[in-house]
């Protein structure tokens, strides 16, 4: 598959997809990260209902092909993460935006080739088809779904990011799809919500890795009538860790599944380090 466009930086024609209308309370999630056990647990909670996903279906974990297969079976609305964009094009790195030679970058040199090798042509074609921006309606409110940012797919935005940074992304989204009431984003792996000039910025967090808070539970969210509530996802993290050990992914993320502490704080702003 040829390079369709710059995968990470630069301007490109955004692929936008209407995910539809969800008037019931709606599950939101991000970052399954090849963690099959976590996605299975969330699927049980969903019980046949949709869950909007902000991408990075595949990353650090032991089961890339199985996680993609489950996601496709579930049929949940998904936008492309940087991992999907990179793997779709068989790019040489994850495109997470880690600093070169940092710990995260070094760790990615282990898990990314494993994730890439776990994705066959059909899985990569599915990834290539994912939109950059999803939209959905809930009641009178219109939401956009993105991965990191609309200006840059791998932009890290944190609970502490300047309001101007979030506002600039909202403006970029609205330049593509018109007025919105809220944004559902991911990539940074930390669940949070902010109100920015009347718009609701929601980061649904990640289901595949805990949010560096010293506990093994990961995160998902439920959106209802303009309000979002974050939940802890209890799942069989021991089994997920064992699988990572079995396939040789023992560079640190496997330990994070049980300790809840990331193997590197390279990407975190100082206020979020432990
Ligand atoms: Fe990402």
């Amino acid at each position: 598959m040829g390079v369709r466009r710059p995968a990470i930086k630069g301007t490109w024609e955004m692929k936008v997809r209407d995910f539809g209308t969800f008037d019931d309370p709606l599950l939101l999630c991000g970052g399954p990260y090849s963690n099959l056990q976590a996605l299975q647990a969330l699927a049980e909670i969903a019980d046949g209902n949709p869950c909007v996903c902000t991408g990075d279906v595949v990353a650090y974990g032991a089961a890339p092909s199985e996680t993609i297969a489950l996601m496709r079976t579930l049929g949940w609305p998904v936008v492309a993460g940087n991992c999907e964009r990179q793997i779709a094009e068989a790019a040489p790195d994850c495109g997470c935006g880690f600093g070169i030679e940092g710990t995260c970058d070094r760790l990615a040199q282990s898990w990314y080739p494993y994730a890439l090798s776990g994705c066959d042509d059909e899985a990569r074609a599915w990834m290539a088809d994912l939109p950059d921006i999803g939209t959905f309606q809930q009641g009178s409110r219109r939401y956009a779904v993105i991965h990191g940012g609309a200006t840059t797919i791998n932009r890290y935005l944190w609970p502490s990011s300047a309001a101007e940074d979030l506002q600039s992304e909202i403006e970029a989204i609205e330049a593509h799809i018109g007025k919105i009431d809220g944004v559902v984003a991911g990539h940074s792996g930390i669940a949070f919500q902010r109100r920015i000039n009347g718009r609701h910025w929601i980061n649904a967090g990640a289901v595949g890795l805990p949010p560096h808070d010293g506990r093994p539970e990961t995160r998902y969210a439920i959106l209802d009538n303009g309000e979002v509530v974050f939940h802890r996802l209890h799942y069989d993290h021991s089994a997920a860790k064992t699988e990572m050990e079995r396939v040789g992914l023992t560079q640190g993320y496997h330990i994070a599944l049980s300790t809840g502490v990331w193997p590197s704080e390279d990407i975190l702003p100082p206020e979020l380090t432990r």
Side-chain angles (χ1 to χ4, degrees), residues 44-63:
E44 284 187 24
I45 290 168
D47 192 24
N49 294 301
C51 175
V52 170
C53 178
T54 62
D56 284 353
V57 178
V58 167
Y60 319 106

Side-chain angles (χ1 to χ4, degrees), residues 56 81-83 96 147 187:
D56 284 353
N82 51 284
C83 291
C96 291
H147 184 61
H187 182 58

Side-chain angles (χ1 to χ4, degrees), residues 212-250:
H212 198 49
D213 65 347
R215 296 178 55 163
E217 299 85 19
T218 60
R219 292 288 188 282
Y220 66 98
I222 297 178
L223 176 66
D224 184 25
N225 196 27
E227 302 293 329
V228 71
V229 177
F230 297 109
H231 297 266
R232 295 178 185 273
L233 179 67
H234 296 261
Y235 77 102
D236 191 350
H237 57 86
S238 296
K241 176 171 179 270
T242 299
E243 276 300 292
M244 289 183 72
E245 291 168 341
R246 187 180 66 79
V247 302
L249 290 172
T250 53

